[in-house]
Structure formats: structure tokens, C-alpha cells
């Protein structure tokens, strides 16, 4: 954990990394980075342009086409081992930057700092051990027997566009496996959290042997900069985590060149609490998970489905948890909920709560700004009951500490309500009869399900969404293969 001497706001590197050089944009323009816990300017970041993005893509294209990066596995392993060690050395600086620009409570930064650093070593080892050439055996053909081999090859230039909610983690998750697979990368971090990207670039430039052009970071405050990356014909693949609306735009931008696209998009996950569940275990945790990270999590089970026979009991348990949840200064280890990322985001969250009440939902607790926190973009943990499954609050991703509770009468009805969504990223089932809970989980149209608190998420297991929650997978063997093309080669059997 961070020492007292290392607490407090910290500005990250202003510069971006293009073709091995840490630099400002040509005109010298910058934009402010706001600390959401204080509403104050914490520092600046260079305001990169479409021209800067074009130069970065050109550098990545050249590095892929003209260097041995894609072919030299041992050198890639060496560089990513260096990167892991460098991240370890810079860990507390990265933590301070994360808390400054995101407002993530220090108590829960492990998943956003230690976990991605560990993942660098994982992908280095996984990529080194991966079989890039697989013998697929001898096959009969009209022209005689043919041996077929599958050669896994890097896709080429990968553009990574990342969000603000878990910026350092996703900057790593979307780029390190791509690099280890032999690709070159251009990273475009979110406007609200540029330093988690620019610090990554600084560390690569100053503390690793990763060649110029192999890894680039373009920081900019205009949406056009990310859009230029998506549309550039020199980019072979886009990986993106963020809203479904932006994901659709990225798909459209890449359509002209039929780019490979890996998308992790929005979610409106449901938690089906069966009537034989241990409410004293399941529901306090459900309330806690809505508040940690200020509800700014794509996999958050924000729809709680309670059996009508135990409905009031469940509401009371969650209300008690949320009314006593510690919200405040992210540097105070007693707090597990910090601010929303921005005033705009807080206004969106509170506006959706207001609309929900107007639509007939019952406000059990929360729904406003904590009285003891007049400064900072804080939101009260909020519990809404009697929610219509078709209402806006039950269908739209809130990205705030808000739970919508929906009653049901039968397992069939609960499954139907859970599947009543354009999203399918995550989900949860709680129940005493494990076989029954498993049957319910298998019928939920979602990419991932947790049963009785046993998380589905981990570096060794594929993670991806169904419906409008995404395309493709991160993590696991499937996640590494996303950054590779499979070439089948037929040759004479010898």
C-alpha cells in the first residue's frame, strides 16, 4: 500500500510518444486535466491533433513492415520483461496519477495497478510459450495427400482506444498482448485520463528497449483524433473499450477497409437472486459492488432481480448497506467510493435517477449529492425499487452507484427479465441449490456469469460480450489469438 509520503495529487507526463520521441504537439496546445475529487486543475496534457495521429500510425506501419519486431520472439519477451520491471519501479507514481485523474479510492487501486502490472509478465510468458506453427495433419485432396500447417501471424498495426474508468488497466490489457503477439501499436487514451497513457509512453521510451515506432501514444482532447485512428487504412485492427454508441461509430469508420475489430462495449447486467439464496451474503456484496469505483464499471450487475416472496427483506438489506457506505476523499483508506469522473457524468447519473422516479420507481435511499461533500463530483449510493423492466433506468447503462431492483415470481420470469436488454456483457446468479443456479446461468444471454460470488473474471479465462456488448474476447488463449491471424499452409506430405 502507498505510504503517507506518497499520497496526494500528482500530475503525469504531459507529452505523447510518437516514433520513439516524447513530444508535445507542434503548436504547443494543452488541455486541463481535472481532479474529480477537488474539481481543481491538476495539470495539463498535450493536445494532440489528427496530424499527430497520422504520424504515429505512419511510425507504427514502418516499424511493423521494416523491422524484425514481428519475427523476433525472444526480443519481444526481453522488452516486455523490461516493461514489467519498469512498471514495478513506477508503481506508486502510477497509483498517484490514477487517483488524481480518476478519483479511484486508494483502498481499491490494486485491481487497477498491481493486476495490470502482473498481466504484463503473464502475457510475456504466454506469448513466449505459444505455438505459432501448428501441424494440422495430412488430409486427402483430389490432387493427393496434403499436409496442412497453421501459422499464427501478427495482424499488423493495432490501434487501441481506451476509456477513462480503469485507464491504466485497460491501456495494458489492450496493448501488451498485441505487442507480445508481434504487432505494433498506437494507443489513444481517453480525454479525461490522458496521464495513464502518457506515463505508459514515458516508461516505454525511457526504461525499455522497445524500438521507435513499435509503441506510440497520442493524447488529444478532440474526438476527431480517435476517429482518425479508426479510419486510417494503414491500421489493420482496432481494439476498443467503451460505450456501445462509440463502438458502432468505430465499426462504421473501419468498414471501408474491413478492419478487424475487438470491442468491449456497454452493459446492463442483471443479478438474479433466487428465493433459496443466502441474502445476508449476496445482497450486501451486491450493494458494495455498486459503490466501489463509483459504479463506473461495465460489468456491474446494476439490475437486481428479487423474488417477490422475499422482496422487502432484500430491499432492507441493500438499503442498510448503501446508507452506511463510506464515500469521500479517495486518499482516505476508510473510503471505498470516490467521485464520479466529471460533473457531466454526475449530472447524467442524477438525471437518470430523477427520470426513474418520474417513471414510477421508488427511491429507497440516495439520489443526490452527499451533504458532507459539497466539493468533488460525488454521488450518493442510490437504491431504486419497484422498477419497470422496460423503463429507461432498467435499460440504459447508468455508470454510477445506482441499483435498480425488479421483482419477479418465477425463475422463467427472472430469466426473461435478465435477457430483456440490448446488452449481454456480464451477469450474476445467487442461490442455495447450485444446480438450479447453474441452469439459470446457462440461460442468461450474456458473455460471463458469476454464481454465488465466484467471479468469472480472470486473465486465464476469455472475457467478452454478446449482443451489443461487444465483439471478440480479451484474456485467456482466445484473447491472445485475437491479435493474430491464422494462416493455413498446404504442402506436400514428406
Amino acid at each position: 500500500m502507498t505510504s503517507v509520503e506518497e499520497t496526494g495529487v500528482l500530475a503525469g507526463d504531459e507529452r505523447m510518444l510518437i516514433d520513439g520521441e516524447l513530444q508535445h504537439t507542434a503548436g504547443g496546445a494543452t488541455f486541463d486535466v481535472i481532479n474529480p475529487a477537488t474539481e481543481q486543475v491538476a495539470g495539463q496534457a498535450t493536445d494532440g491533433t489528427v496530424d499527430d495521429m497520422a504520424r504515429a500510425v505512419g511510425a507504427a506501419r514502418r516499424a511493423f513492415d521494416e523491422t524484425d519486431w514481428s519475427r523476433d520472439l525472444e526480443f519481444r519477451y526481453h522488452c516486455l520483461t523490461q516493461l514489467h520491471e519498469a512498471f514495478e519501479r513506477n508503481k506508486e507514481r502510477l497509483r498517484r496519477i490514477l487517483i488524481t485523474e480518476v478519483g479511484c479510492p486508494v483502498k481499491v487501486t490494486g485491481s487497477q495497478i498491481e493486476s495490470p502490472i502482473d498481466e504484463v509478465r503473464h502475457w510475456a510468458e504466454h506469448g513466449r510459450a505459444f505455438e505459432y506453427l501448428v501441424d494440422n495433419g495430412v488430409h486427402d485432396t483430389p490432387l493427393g495427400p496434403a499436409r496442412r500447417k497453421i501459422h499464427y501471424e501478427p495482424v499488423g498495426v493495432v490501434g487501441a482506444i481506451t476509456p477513462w474508468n480503469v485507464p491504466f488497466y485497460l491501456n495494458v490489457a489492450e496493448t501488451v498482448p498485441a505487442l507480445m503477439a508481434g504487432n505494433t501499436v498506437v494507443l489513444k487514451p481517453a480525454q479525461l485520463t490522458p496521464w495513464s497513457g502518457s506515463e505508459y509512453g514515458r516508461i516505454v521510451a525511457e526504461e525499455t528497449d522497445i524500438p521507435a515506432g513499435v509503441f506510440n501514444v497520442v493524447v488529444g482532447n478532440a474526438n476527431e483524433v480517435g476517429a482518425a485512428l479508426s479510419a486510417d487504412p494503414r491500421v489493420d485492427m482496432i481494439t476498443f473499450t467503451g460505450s456501445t454508441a462509440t463502438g458502432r461509430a468505430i465499426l462504421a469508420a473501419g468498414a471501408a477497409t474491413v478492419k478487424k475489430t475487438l470491442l468491449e462495449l456497454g452493459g446492463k447486467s442483471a443479478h438474479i437472486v433466487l428465493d433459496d439464496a443466502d441474502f445476508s451474503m449476496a445482497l450486501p456484496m451486491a450493494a458494495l459492488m455498486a459503490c466501489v469505483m463509483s459504479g463506473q464499471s461495465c460489468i456491474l450487475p446494476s439490475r437486481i432481480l428479487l423474488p417477490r416472496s422475499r422482496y422487502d427483506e432484500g430491499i432492507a438489506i441493500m438499503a442498510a448497506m448503501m446508507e452506511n457506505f463510506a464515500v469521500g476523499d479517495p486518499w482516505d483508506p476508510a473510503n471505498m467510493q470516490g467521485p464520479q469522473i466529471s460533473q457531466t457524468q454526475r449530472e447524467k447519473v442524477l438525471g437518470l435517477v430523477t427520470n426513474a422516479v418520474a417513471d414510477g420507481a421508488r427511491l429507497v435511499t440516495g439520489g443526490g449529492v452527499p451533504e458532507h461533500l459539497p466539493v468533488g463530483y460525488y454521488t450518493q449510493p442510490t437504491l431504486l425499487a419497484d422498477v419497470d423492466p422496460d423503463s429507461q433506468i432498467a435499460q440504459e447503462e447508468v455508470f454510477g452507484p445506482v441499483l435498480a431492483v425488479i421483482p419477479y415470481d418465477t425463475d422463467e420470469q427472472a430469466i426473461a427479465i435478465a435477457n430483456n436488454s440490448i446488452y449481454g456483457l456480464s451477469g450474476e446468479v445467487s442461490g442455495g441449490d447450485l444446480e438450479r443456479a447453474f441452469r439459470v446461468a446457462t440461460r442468461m444471454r450474456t458473455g460471463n456469469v458469476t454464481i454465488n460470488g465466484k467471479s468469472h473474471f480472470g486473465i486465464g479465462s476469455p472475457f467478452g460480450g454478446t449482443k451489443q456488448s461487444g465483439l471478440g474476447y480479451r484474456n485467456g488463449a482466445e484473447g491472445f489469438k485475437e491479435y493474430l491471424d491464422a494462416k493455413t499452409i498446404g504442402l506436400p506430405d514428406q
Side-chain angles (χ1 to χ4, degrees):
M1 186 56 66
T2 309
S3 69
V4 174
E5 291 76 15
E6 291 168 328
T7 62
V9 299
L10 176 70
D13 200 299
E14 289 187 11
R15 299 167 295 175
M16 54 191 167
L17 174 63
I18 300 177
D19 205 8
E21 179 185 347
L22 293 167
Q23 57 192 265
H24 292 85
T25 193
T30 61
F31 64 95
D32 292 339
V33 180
I34 306 298
N35 180 346
T38 65
E39 305 182 34
Q40 299 299 309
V41 175
Q44 284 75 40
T46 193
D47 197 0
T49 65
V50 171
D51 286 343
D52 293 321
M53 180 59 75
R55 291 192 298 112
V57 172
R61 183 78 266 166
R62 184 173 60 254
F64 184 81
D65 293 340
E66 299 178 10
T67 76
D68 290 334
W69 176 259
S70 65
R71 295 179 292 276
D72 194 337
L73 176 61
E74 286 303 312
F75 181 60
R76 298 200 302 270
Y77 178 79
H78 160 76
C79 289
L80 290 188
T81 299
Q82 286 183 320
L83 182 62
H84 173 262
E85 294 168 352
F87 279 158
E88 282 285 357
R89 288 192 297 271
N90 287 271
K91 180 167 60 178
E92 298 312 326
R93 177 176 173 83
L94 290 165
R95 193 188 315 277
R96 290 176 64 192
I97 287 169
L98 173 76
I99 297 169
T100 299
E101 65 179 358
V102 180
C104 176
V106 64
K107 189 172 184 177
V108 296
T109 54
S111 63
Q112 296 204 42
I113 298 295
E114 275 82 0
S115 290
I117 292 174
D118 289 344
E119 288 191 9
V120 178
R121 178 173 291 282
H122 168 87
W123 288 120
E125 298 294 343
H126 183 92
R128 192 187 201 189
F130 186 82
E131 290 188 62
Y132 295 89
L133 184 62
V134 177
D135 193 323
N136 200 33
V138 177
H139 302 260
D140 291 330
T141 78
L143 299 178
R147 181 172 295 279
R148 292 175 185 154
K149 295 188 177 184
I150 302 172
H151 189 218
Y152 289 97
E153 303 174 345
V155 173
V157 176
V158 174
I161 303 174
T162 55
W164 47 258
N165 61 326
V166 283
F168 179 66
Y169 170 79
L170 284 168
N171 289 344
V172 168
E174 295 197 29
T175 62
V176 168
L179 290 168
M180 192 59 205
N183 301 283
T184 58
V185 172
V186 179
L187 169 64
K188 169 60 177 70
Q191 290 98 315
L192 291 171
T193 53
W195 293 334
S196 290
S198 59
E199 279 294 319
Y200 185 175
R202 180 192 65 79
I203 290 168
V204 165
E206 296 180 348
E207 301 186 41
T208 78
D209 294 327
I210 294 175
V214 167
F215 181 74
N216 307 269
V217 181
V218 180
V219 175
N221 198 33
N223 292 335
E224 290 77 10
V225 178
L229 178 61
S230 301
D232 197 308
R234 297 170 295 178
V235 175
D236 300 292
M237 176 180 175
I238 293 289
T239 173
F240 168 75
T241 299
S243 72
T244 294
T246 303
R248 295 188 194 110
I250 287 172
L251 278 174
T257 51
V258 197
K259 280 184 176 53
K260 186 173 185 178
T261 309
L262 173 59
L263 302 175
E264 181 195 325
L265 306 178
K268 191 66 182 178
S269 301
H271 181 175
I272 298 176
V273 185
L274 299 173
D275 56 15
D276 64 346
D278 184 345
F279 276 32
S280 67
M281 291 292 291
L283 295 181
M285 184 58 66
L288 181 148
M289 293 307 296
C291 302
V292 173
M293 292 175 57
S294 304
Q296 297 172 153
S297 168
C298 56
I299 62 173
L300 170 66
S302 57
R303 293 181 293 156
I304 308 298
L305 279 55
L306 292 181
R308 204 176 300 274
S309 61
R310 301 183 66 183
Y311 190 69
D312 292 341
E313 175 191 356
I315 293 289
I317 292 172
M318 287 186 288
M321 182 70 175
M322 297 182 91
E323 287 168 355
N324 293 284
F325 202 79
V327 182
D329 178 9
W331 275 112
D332 184 343
N335 295 325
M336 292 185 68
Q337 179 184 323
Q340 308 307 128
I341 188 69
S342 67
Q343 176 64 13
T344 299
Q345 182 61 24
R346 179 169 68 176
E347 289 174 354
K348 176 194 171 186
V349 171
L350 296 180
L352 286 169
V353 172
T354 299
N355 292 346
V357 174
D359 286 341
R362 172 165 54 98
L363 181 62
V364 178
T365 189
V369 176
E371 291 183 1
H372 69 292
L373 295 168
V375 177
Y377 306 127
Y378 295 96
T379 303
Q380 290 176 323
T382 300
L383 185 65
L384 294 163
D386 309 338
V387 170
D388 182 337
D390 295 318
S391 65
Q392 181 188 34
I393 198 69
Q395 294 293 322
E396 187 171 328
E397 187 172 36
V398 177
F399 237 54
V402 179
L403 289 181
V405 187
I406 303 170
Y408 72 89
D409 295 299
T410 66
D411 291 5
E412 290 291 330
Q413 185 184 25
I415 293 165
I417 293 171
N419 291 338
N420 177 29
S421 173
I422 65 169
Y423 301 112
L425 186 59
S426 187
E428 189 164 354
V429 181
S430 293
D433 182 339
L434 190 57
E435 289 186 4
R436 177 189 176 196
F438 187 82
R439 286 196 303 270
V440 171
T442 60
R443 294 184 59 194
M444 295 173 73
R445 292 191 62 207
T446 185
N448 313 271
V449 183
T450 288
I451 297 178
N452 289 346
K454 301 304 180 182
S455 176
H456 58 74
F457 191 82
I459 191 65
S461 305
F463 173 78
T466 62
K467 298 188 278 186
Q468 294 188 38
S469 283
L471 298 171
Y473 297 94
R474 303 202 193 288
N475 296 346
E478 292 88 345
F480 189 69
K481 286 183 179 179
E482 292 284 0
Y483 297 99
L484 295 164
D485 286 331
K487 176 190 287 181
T488 300
I489 302 173
L491 64 159
D493 181 33
Q494 296 179 344

Short mmCIF file of all heavy atoms in Angstrom, two decimals, residues 2 16 50 58 66 73 90 102 118 169 217 249 274 283 321 400 408 421 425 434 439 451 455-456 459 468 489:
data_model
loop_
_atom_site.label_atom_id
_atom_site.label_comp_id
_atom_site.label_asym_id
_atom_site.label_seq_id
_atom_site.Cartn_x
_atom_site.Cartn_y
_atom_site.Cartn_z
N THR A 2 0.38 2.34 -0.53
CA THR A 2 1.13 3.57 -0.64
C THR A 2 1.42 4.19 0.72
O THR A 2 0.56 4.22 1.59
CB THR A 2 0.32 4.58 -1.49
OG1 THR A 2 -0.06 3.94 -2.69
CG2 THR A 2 1.15 5.80 -1.81
N MET A 16 3.27 13.09 -25.40
CA MET A 16 2.90 11.84 -26.04
C MET A 16 4.16 11.21 -26.63
O MET A 16 5.22 11.84 -26.69
CB MET A 16 1.85 12.09 -27.12
CG MET A 16 2.20 13.11 -28.16
SD MET A 16 0.76 13.55 -29.18
CE MET A 16 1.40 15.00 -30.00
N VAL A 50 -5.05 15.46 -35.31
CA VAL A 50 -5.20 14.43 -36.34
C VAL A 50 -3.87 14.22 -37.06
O VAL A 50 -3.51 13.09 -37.40
CB VAL A 50 -6.31 14.82 -37.32
CG1 VAL A 50 -6.33 13.88 -38.53
CG2 VAL A 50 -7.68 14.78 -36.62
N GLY A 58 1.90 6.22 -39.08
CA GLY A 58 2.99 6.01 -40.03
C GLY A 58 4.20 5.35 -39.38
O GLY A 58 4.83 4.46 -39.96
N GLU A 66 9.14 -2.86 -41.59
CA GLU A 66 10.57 -2.73 -41.91
C GLU A 66 11.51 -3.20 -40.81
O GLU A 66 12.74 -3.15 -40.98
CB GLU A 66 10.89 -1.27 -42.27
CG GLU A 66 10.10 -0.78 -43.49
CD GLU A 66 10.39 0.68 -43.81
OE1 GLU A 66 11.34 1.26 -43.22
OE2 GLU A 66 9.66 1.25 -44.65
N LEU A 73 10.76 -13.20 -31.50
CA LEU A 73 10.01 -13.52 -30.29
C LEU A 73 10.82 -13.27 -29.03
O LEU A 73 10.32 -12.70 -28.05
CB LEU A 73 9.56 -14.99 -30.34
CG LEU A 73 8.82 -15.53 -29.11
CD1 LEU A 73 7.53 -14.76 -28.87
CD2 LEU A 73 8.53 -17.02 -29.29
N ASN A 90 7.79 1.99 -11.08
CA ASN A 90 6.97 3.20 -11.16
C ASN A 90 5.59 3.02 -10.54
O ASN A 90 4.72 3.89 -10.70
CB ASN A 90 6.81 3.62 -12.62
CG ASN A 90 8.07 4.22 -13.21
OD1 ASN A 90 8.30 5.42 -13.12
ND2 ASN A 90 8.90 3.36 -13.81
N VAL A 102 -8.64 9.94 -11.86
CA VAL A 102 -9.87 9.15 -11.85
C VAL A 102 -10.67 9.33 -10.56
O VAL A 102 -11.90 9.28 -10.58
CB VAL A 102 -9.57 7.65 -12.06
CG1 VAL A 102 -10.85 6.82 -12.06
CG2 VAL A 102 -8.80 7.43 -13.35
N ASP A 118 1.00 -7.25 -13.15
CA ASP A 118 1.16 -8.70 -13.19
C ASP A 118 0.82 -9.26 -14.57
O ASP A 118 1.44 -10.24 -15.02
CB ASP A 118 0.28 -9.36 -12.14
CG ASP A 118 0.76 -9.12 -10.71
OD1 ASP A 118 1.92 -8.71 -10.54
OD2 ASP A 118 -0.05 -9.33 -9.79
N TYR A 169 -5.27 -0.02 -16.32
CA TYR A 169 -5.54 -1.43 -16.56
C TYR A 169 -5.85 -1.68 -18.04
O TYR A 169 -5.29 -2.59 -18.66
CB TYR A 169 -6.70 -1.92 -15.69
CG TYR A 169 -7.15 -3.31 -16.09
CD1 TYR A 169 -6.42 -4.43 -15.69
CD2 TYR A 169 -8.25 -3.50 -16.92
CE1 TYR A 169 -6.80 -5.69 -16.10
CE2 TYR A 169 -8.63 -4.76 -17.33
CZ TYR A 169 -7.91 -5.86 -16.91
OH TYR A 169 -8.26 -7.11 -17.33
N VAL A 217 1.87 6.60 -28.31
CA VAL A 217 0.74 7.11 -27.54
C VAL A 217 0.40 8.50 -28.05
O VAL A 217 1.26 9.39 -28.05
CB VAL A 217 1.05 7.19 -26.02
CG1 VAL A 217 -0.16 7.71 -25.26
CG2 VAL A 217 1.50 5.85 -25.48
N ALA A 249 -19.73 3.60 -33.99
CA ALA A 249 -19.02 4.56 -34.82
C ALA A 249 -17.68 4.01 -35.29
O ALA A 249 -17.26 4.23 -36.43
CB ALA A 249 -18.83 5.87 -34.06
N LEU A 274 -32.09 -15.89 -6.39
CA LEU A 274 -33.12 -16.92 -6.27
C LEU A 274 -33.68 -16.96 -4.85
O LEU A 274 -33.03 -16.49 -3.90
CB LEU A 274 -32.55 -18.27 -6.67
CG LEU A 274 -32.05 -18.35 -8.13
CD1 LEU A 274 -31.36 -19.68 -8.39
CD2 LEU A 274 -33.19 -18.14 -9.12
N LEU A 283 -26.60 -9.98 -0.95
CA LEU A 283 -27.09 -8.62 -1.15
C LEU A 283 -26.19 -7.52 -0.60
O LEU A 283 -26.04 -6.47 -1.24
CB LEU A 283 -28.51 -8.50 -0.62
CG LEU A 283 -29.50 -9.37 -1.42
CD1 LEU A 283 -30.91 -9.21 -0.88
CD2 LEU A 283 -29.47 -9.03 -2.91
N MET A 321 -26.90 -1.29 3.71
CA MET A 321 -25.52 -1.26 3.24
C MET A 321 -25.20 0.06 2.55
O MET A 321 -24.17 0.69 2.83
CB MET A 321 -25.27 -2.43 2.27
CG MET A 321 -23.86 -2.52 1.76
SD MET A 321 -22.70 -3.01 3.05
CE MET A 321 -21.19 -3.15 2.11
N GLY A 400 -22.96 4.71 -12.63
CA GLY A 400 -22.94 5.39 -11.35
C GLY A 400 -23.37 4.43 -10.26
O GLY A 400 -23.81 3.30 -10.55
N TYR A 408 -39.77 -10.42 -9.22
CA TYR A 408 -40.20 -11.47 -10.14
C TYR A 408 -40.88 -12.59 -9.35
O TYR A 408 -40.74 -12.68 -8.13
CB TYR A 408 -39.02 -12.02 -10.95
CG TYR A 408 -38.06 -12.87 -10.15
CD1 TYR A 408 -38.26 -14.25 -10.03
CD2 TYR A 408 -36.95 -12.32 -9.52
CE1 TYR A 408 -37.38 -15.05 -9.30
CE2 TYR A 408 -36.07 -13.11 -8.78
CZ TYR A 408 -36.30 -14.47 -8.67
OH TYR A 408 -35.45 -15.25 -7.94
N SER A 421 -32.71 -6.96 -22.76
CA SER A 421 -31.70 -5.90 -22.84
C SER A 421 -30.96 -6.03 -24.16
O SER A 421 -30.78 -7.14 -24.68
CB SER A 421 -30.71 -6.03 -21.67
OG SER A 421 -29.63 -5.13 -21.82
N LEU A 425 -23.13 -8.38 -21.41
CA LEU A 425 -21.71 -8.42 -21.06
C LEU A 425 -21.44 -9.32 -19.86
O LEU A 425 -20.51 -10.13 -19.86
CB LEU A 425 -21.20 -7.01 -20.77
CG LEU A 425 -19.69 -6.89 -20.52
CD1 LEU A 425 -18.90 -7.40 -21.72
CD2 LEU A 425 -19.31 -5.44 -20.20
N LEU A 434 -27.06 -25.23 -6.09
CA LEU A 434 -26.08 -24.85 -7.11
C LEU A 434 -26.49 -25.33 -8.49
O LEU A 434 -26.27 -24.62 -9.49
CB LEU A 434 -24.71 -25.42 -6.74
CG LEU A 434 -23.52 -24.92 -7.57
CD1 LEU A 434 -23.42 -23.41 -7.53
CD2 LEU A 434 -22.22 -25.56 -7.09
N ARG A 439 -28.27 -23.83 -13.94
CA ARG A 439 -29.24 -23.88 -15.03
C ARG A 439 -29.70 -22.48 -15.41
O ARG A 439 -29.82 -22.16 -16.61
CB ARG A 439 -30.44 -24.74 -14.64
CG ARG A 439 -30.19 -26.23 -14.61
CD ARG A 439 -31.49 -27.02 -14.60
NE ARG A 439 -32.35 -26.66 -13.47
CZ ARG A 439 -32.31 -27.24 -12.28
NH1 ARG A 439 -31.43 -28.22 -12.04
NH2 ARG A 439 -33.14 -26.88 -11.31
N ILE A 451 -21.57 -16.99 -10.22
CA ILE A 451 -22.52 -17.70 -9.37
C ILE A 451 -22.02 -17.65 -7.93
O ILE A 451 -20.88 -18.04 -7.65
CB ILE A 451 -22.72 -19.15 -9.82
CG1 ILE A 451 -23.33 -19.21 -11.24
CG2 ILE A 451 -23.61 -19.91 -8.84
CD1 ILE A 451 -23.52 -20.61 -11.78
N SER A 455 -16.18 -15.14 -9.01
CA SER A 455 -16.03 -14.27 -10.18
C SER A 455 -15.63 -15.03 -11.44
O SER A 455 -14.79 -15.93 -11.42
CB SER A 455 -14.98 -13.20 -9.90
OG SER A 455 -14.74 -12.41 -11.04
N HIS A 456 -16.23 -14.62 -12.53
CA HIS A 456 -15.88 -15.16 -13.85
C HIS A 456 -14.63 -14.51 -14.41
O HIS A 456 -14.05 -15.00 -15.38
CB HIS A 456 -17.04 -14.91 -14.83
CG HIS A 456 -17.39 -13.45 -14.99
ND1 HIS A 456 -16.61 -12.57 -15.69
CD2 HIS A 456 -18.43 -12.73 -14.51
CE1 HIS A 456 -17.15 -11.36 -15.65
NE2 HIS A 456 -18.26 -11.43 -14.93
N ILE A 459 -7.40 -13.40 -15.87
CA ILE A 459 -6.52 -13.34 -17.03
C ILE A 459 -6.51 -14.66 -17.81
O ILE A 459 -6.26 -14.68 -19.01
CB ILE A 459 -5.09 -12.97 -16.60
CG1 ILE A 459 -4.20 -12.64 -17.80
CG2 ILE A 459 -4.47 -14.05 -15.74
CD1 ILE A 459 -4.61 -11.44 -18.56
N GLN A 468 -25.17 -6.40 -28.12
CA GLN A 468 -24.49 -5.13 -28.38
C GLN A 468 -23.46 -4.78 -27.31
O GLN A 468 -23.07 -3.62 -27.15
CB GLN A 468 -25.51 -4.01 -28.54
CG GLN A 468 -26.39 -4.18 -29.77
CD GLN A 468 -27.27 -2.98 -30.05
OE1 GLN A 468 -26.87 -1.83 -29.88
NE2 GLN A 468 -28.48 -3.25 -30.51
N ILE A 489 -1.42 -23.28 -44.32
CA ILE A 489 -0.49 -23.56 -45.42
C ILE A 489 -0.59 -25.03 -45.80
O ILE A 489 -0.43 -25.90 -44.95
CB ILE A 489 0.96 -23.21 -45.02
CG1 ILE A 489 1.06 -21.74 -44.60
CG2 ILE A 489 1.93 -23.50 -46.17
CD1 ILE A 489 2.41 -21.35 -44.03
#
